[in-house]
Each structure stands twice: as C-alpha cells, then as structure tokens.
C-alpha cells in the first residue's frame, strides 16, 4: 500500500485528471501532472506539473524519477513512452490495457474473442477498401478512425454510397473501421474498478444520452431494457478487465438492442458517464481508481439516492453557473477552463433525487 504523502503521477491534464487529483488529495497523496498544454485543468489542483510532449523521453524519465506510481487520464499516450516509464516506476493501468483500448479494431477483436457482441464491422485501410467494406457491411454505416477517436471525433457517417469519398477525406484517409449502424434503444455504460490484487467492484449502470456524439446526461435508474441487460454487460466488462490484467477504473460502453447488449467501446480510465458517482455512490470512480493505483482496498459502490442524474455543461451551458450554484439541489463541478468553445466540456452538475 502506497503510504500517505507519496506522489502519484498522472499522464494527462484534463478534467479527469483534476478530479483524480482531488480524490488523491483526500487520501493524503500528492499528484504530479504530466501534460503538454499550458492551461491544464488538472494543474490547478496538483502539487506539481511537468509541461512537455508525451513523446519527450527525457521529460518522461525526469517525471518518473519524481513520482512513486503513475496512472493516466488520457489513453492515447504513446505506448512506447508508457513502456519506458513502466521500467522505472509502476504504471497502472498497464501497457496491455492501452494497446487494446487505443485501437478500435484491436478492441473489437478482443471483445469478440471473449464472446461479446459488437456492431458489424470491417477493416478499412484504403479508399478501395472502404468500397469493399460498404459491400460487406451495408449502409447506413459509420467510418471511424482506429486511433485517437473520442467524443464523436474521427467519425463520418455514410448514408448512401456517394458519401464515401467525403467520409474518407473527413477522417483524414487513415486506417479505420466501418461500423454498421446499430438500431439501439438506449446507450449505457459499465464502470468497474479492479484492484492490484484482482478484486473488482462495479457501479450500478446509468443510461447515457449523447448529443452530437458527446455525452449529455447519465441517469439512474436506467430503463427496464437496460436493467435487464446490465448483468450480461457487466460480466463481459469484468472478463475484459481480468484478461487485460487491468488495474484501476475501466469503462465499457454498450448499446441496448432488442436482441441484447452490444459492446461499443472501452476507456481504460475514469469516464464521463461515471461522474455521478462523486455524490451518487458510497465511493466515487475517482476514489476507487486512486485506491487501485495505490494498492489500497476498494470501497463499495452502493447508491446514495434512488434517482440520480448527471448533466454535462458543454460550451455555453456553463454560462448558467450563477443559477446552478443558487440551486440547493444541484452539485456543481466546474473544470476551470478559460474559454467556453462549442463542444468543450466545461463542467457537470449532478442532482440526487427527483
Ligand atoms: P463512439 O465514439 O464510438 O462512442 O461514438 C459516439 C456516439 O455515436 C455513440 O455514443 C453513439 O451515440 C453513436 N454511434 C457510434 N457508433 C454507432 C453505431 N455503430 N450505430 C449507431 N450509433 C453509433
């Protein structure tokens, strides 16, 4: 067990790192953020920051020398860099989790190998390959880059065959997969945490509503169809975590379809659809992630209310802060980001009870 006063290194400086650092501080740890951006939200609440590119081997080695353990809040960190770090200091989650989660194709193959169902998909490596994939999968479909896709980025919808040229250009003509459109009733996520000793906890499952590819709300309890599928999805997510030897929080997103759950994607880190756990659960995803990384026992994940809703504050939504802060029923979280650009996650609010 990492003793209080130790330093946890966090790769990535966004709001997830900010909330991890706050949870770590409650347990007596210091956090050292490694991030390339000048105005990292996590740096405001961390003891130290190294500002450097993720590929800067010297900066990474110096960072490793100043921390006792490393975790991440951004999974697209270069794997080689993480491998280098892991030779110097423990890194949780490890390289295997990143390898699978960084590549949509590896992720889908891994989940299918474990018996999970995904959207129908095909590999696309060229413009001609896209035509072949359309012939195989059918339309409508979504072209997604294999790497660096999140919040609907790196995706283009193909409704009719004549959209293919524009879609291939829109994703930057890079290795991709074509996914058949899933006619889902709801979206939901399984969030679990696995400790260094292999023990696991998972949280009750929220239903997630997305707008323009970005999470808008997570609500509990979810509708009956999601409740009926949550057990099967959680069992798959637990197997994924086990097989990866994952340590820390793992989030798996699912489509609830009439014929059962279909796996969409995973994130080897704390997740936006788990922000409600800060007030809505006996232990937040951030606390249990830090506990896992520090080798502490995990805490139970029971609900604190029968109805819980987390709403993201995207772009100008955050301008409503005076009204939100004046509402006694609302827990407000603002990420300290300067400019409210459209699509930018500025904060979130959580309501317990109706
Ligand atoms: P992703 O980045 O893959 O999670 O995609 C962002 C959002 O786009 C998802 O949360 C869904 O709302 C939607 N989406 C992604 N893939 C599909 C699909 N194969 N069929 C229907 N909707 C999808």
């Amino acid at each position: 067990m990492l003793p209080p006063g130790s330093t946890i290194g966090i790769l990535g400086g966004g709001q997830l790192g900010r909330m991890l650092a706050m949870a770590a501080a409650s347990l007596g740890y210091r956090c050292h953020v490694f991030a390339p951006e000048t105005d990292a939200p996590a740096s405001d609440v961390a003891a130290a920051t190294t500002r450097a590119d993720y590929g800067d081997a010297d900066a990474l080695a110096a960072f490793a020398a100043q921390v006792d353990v490393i975790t991440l809040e951004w999974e697209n960190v270069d794997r080689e860099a993480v491998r280098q770090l892991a030779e110097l200091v423990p890194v949780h989650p490890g390289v295997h989790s990143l390898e699978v989660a960084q590549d949509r194709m590896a992720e889908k193959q891994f989940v299918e190998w474990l018996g999970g169902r995904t959207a129908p998909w095909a590999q696309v490596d060229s413009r001609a390959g896209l035509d072949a994939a359309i012939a195989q999968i059918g339309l409508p479909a979504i072209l997604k880059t294999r790497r660096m896709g999140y919040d609907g980025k790196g995706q283009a919808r193909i409704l009719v065959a004549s959209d293919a040229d524009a879609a291939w250009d829109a994703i930057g003509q890079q290795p991709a997969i074509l996914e058949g459109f899933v006619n889902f009733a709801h979206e939901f996520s399984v969030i679990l945490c696995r400790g260094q000793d292999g023990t696991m906890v998972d949280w009750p499952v929220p239903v997630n509503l997305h707008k323009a590819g970005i999470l808008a709300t997570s609500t509990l309890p979810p509708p009956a169809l999601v409740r009926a599928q949550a057990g099967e999805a959680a069992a798959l997510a637990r197997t994924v975590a086990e097989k990866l030897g994952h340590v820390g929080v793992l989030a798996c997103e699912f489509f609830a379809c009439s014929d059962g759950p279909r796996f969409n994607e995973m994130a080897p880190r704390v997740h936006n659809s788990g922000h409600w756990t800060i007030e809505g659960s006996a232990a937040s995803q951030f606390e249990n992630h830090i506990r896992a990384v520090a080798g502490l026992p995990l805490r139970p994940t029971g609900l604190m209310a029968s109805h819980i809703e987390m709403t993201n504050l995207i772009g100008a939504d955050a301008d409503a802060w005076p009204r939100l802060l004046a509402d006694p029923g609302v827990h407000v979280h603002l990420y300290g980001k300067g400019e409210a650009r459209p699509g930018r996650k500025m904060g979130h609010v959580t309501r317990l009870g109706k």
Side-chain angles (χ1 to χ4, degrees), residues 104 108 119-120 141-142 144 149-153 155 157 179-184 187 208-215 253 255 264-265:
R104 281 190 192 274
K108 284 197 159 48
I142 308 184
K144 300 183 177 181
Y150 63 98
D151 283 353
K153 293 187 174 70
Q155 298 190 11
R157 293 186 175 210
E179 258 184 55
F181 231 78
V182 176
N183 189 15
F184 58 79
E187 293 187 74
N208 301 325
L209 193 70
H210 293 82
K211 289 184 188 156
I214 302 177
L215 183 69
E253 294 184 81
F255 300 125
N264 175 26
E265 62 175 0

Side-chain angles (χ1 to χ4, degrees), residues 14 26 28-29 107 119 144 169 186 197 232 283 289 313-314 348:
S26 294
Y29 298 121
E107 188 175 273
K144 300 183 177 181
D169 289 343
H186 303 287
D197 62 358
E232 184 183 338
H289 183 84
L313 303 175
I314 312 269
H348 73 269

Side-chain angles (χ1 to χ4, degrees), residues 8-352:
I8 298 176
I10 302 177
L11 293 168
Q15 64 269 14
L16 302 177
R18 182 180 175 100
M19 290 183 272
L20 281 172
M22 289 161 77
S26 294
L27 296 175
Y29 298 121
R30 299 169 76 253
C31 283
H32 184 147
V33 169
F34 188 106
E37 61 264 36
T38 43
D39 51 356
S43 294
D44 289 348
V45 300
T49 296
T50 295
R51 193 182 146 218
D53 287 329
Y54 296 120
D56 184 336
D58 293 340
L60 284 168
F63 169 68
Q66 295 173 71
V67 302
D68 298 295
V69 62
I70 291 176
T71 189
L72 51 99
E73 63 100 72
W74 163 248
E75 68 271 34
N76 292 311
V77 181
D78 180 59
R79 274 171 300 169
E80 271 321 302
V82 173
R83 209 167 271 132
Q84 254 181 44
L85 285 175
E87 284 172 14
L88 304 170
V89 63
V91 180
H92 302 300
V95 176
H96 195 25
S97 293
L98 292 185
E99 267 166 356
V100 172
Q102 281 179 350
D103 179 349
R104 281 190 192 274
M105 191 165 96
E107 188 175 273
K108 284 197 159 48
Q109 285 173 328
F110 189 74
V111 165
E112 284 174 347
W113 174 64
L114 295 174
R117 290 191 320 148
T118 67
W121 63 275
Q123 183 176 357
V124 175
D125 289 324
S126 64
R127 177 64 188 84
L130 176 55
D131 286 337
I134 291 173
Q136 182 190 333
I137 301 295
L139 294 178
I142 308 184
L143 187 62
K144 300 183 177 181
T145 57
R146 282 175 57 175
R147 295 186 174 276
M148 299 294 280
Y150 63 98
D151 283 353
K153 293 187 174 70
Q155 298 190 11
R157 293 186 175 210
I158 303 180
L159 303 181
V160 291
S162 57
D163 294 341
D165 278 330
W168 181 239
D169 289 343
I171 66 151
Q173 306 190 353
Q174 53 178 308
I177 60 166
L178 186 73
E179 258 184 55
F181 231 78
V182 176
N183 189 15
F184 58 79
H186 303 287
E187 293 187 74
F188 68 98
S189 49
V190 173
I191 304 201
L192 63 77
C193 187
R194 184 169 181 271
Q196 287 179 29
D197 62 358
T199 53
M200 271 191 263
V201 294
D202 58 29
W203 280 266
V205 161
V207 65
N208 301 325
L209 193 70
H210 293 82
K211 289 184 188 156
I214 302 177
L215 183 69
T217 61
S218 293
T219 308
L220 293 103
L225 185 72
V226 172
R227 290 204 299 279
Q229 298 184 4
E232 184 183 338
L236 177 63
R238 281 175 171 258
T239 308
V240 169
E242 191 79 56
K243 294 284 184 209
L244 289 174
H246 188 82
V247 170
V249 168
L250 177 76
C252 292
E253 294 184 81
F254 290 87
F255 300 125
C257 305
S258 55
D259 60 351
R262 283 182 189 258
F263 169 92
N264 175 26
E265 62 175 0
M266 72 175 89
R269 54 164 166 79
V270 288
H271 193 257
N272 195 170
S273 66
H275 289 0
W276 62 269
T277 60
I278 297 174
E279 293 88 10
S281 171
S284 79
Q285 61 169 348
F286 301 101
E287 175 175 354
N288 269 342
H289 183 84
I290 294 294
R291 282 174 168 264
V293 166
L296 309 181
L298 305 181
R299 287 190 59 227
T301 54
L303 293 179
M304 305 304 282
S306 55
H307 186 273
I308 300 165
E309 182 155 277
M310 186 288 307
T311 305
N312 267 338
L313 303 175
I314 312 269
D317 294 350
D319 295 345
W321 64 267
R323 178 177 59 75
L324 294 166
L325 284 165
D327 184 337
V330 171
H331 298 274
V332 180
H333 298 260
L334 298 171
Y335 305 149
K337 296 184 182 177
E339 197 193 339
R341 289 193 295 271
R344 193 173 196 205
K345 290 174 177 168
M346 302 298 293
H348 73 269
V349 294
T350 303
R351 289 180 178 81
L352 303 193

